[in-house]
Amino acid sequence: LKRNFVDEVYLYIAPVLFGGATAPTFAGGPGLARENAIQLQLKRVEDLGDGGIVVHYFVAKRPEVG
């Protein structure tokens, strides 16, 4: 994502909560500062009927990163 290699993102959101202070995150590593946030544009939300959903985003084009 940081290097503009990703055009679309699909996220599955499950109806469960787990994790903790050392659980990995989607951004991973040191993360991104707010001013460097990667903007997503919602394309579709699919309800799977079991309480989970799939969210489909397009990744907004950004200037090339050094």
Side-chain angles (χ1 to χ4, degrees):
L1 283 168
K2 280 182 162 181
R3 294 184 179 165
N4 291 321
F5 293 156
V6 177
D7 294 326
E8 299 178 54
V9 173
Y10 288 83
L11 299 174
Y12 171 67
I13 302 173
V16 296
L17 296 175
F18 60 93
T22 60
T25 67
F26 187 72
L32 296 167
R34 178 70 179 130
E35 62 271 10
N36 296 323
I38 297 169
Q39 300 296 313
L40 304 176
Q41 300 166 341
L42 183 63
K43 164 122 190 209
R44 185 176 67 170
V45 176
E46 179 182 355
D47 184 341
L48 299 181
D50 63 355
I53 60 173
V54 174
V55 184
H56 178 193
Y57 289 104
F58 288 125
V59 178
K61 296 296 179 196
R62 301 179 302 127
E64 289 295 320
V65 178

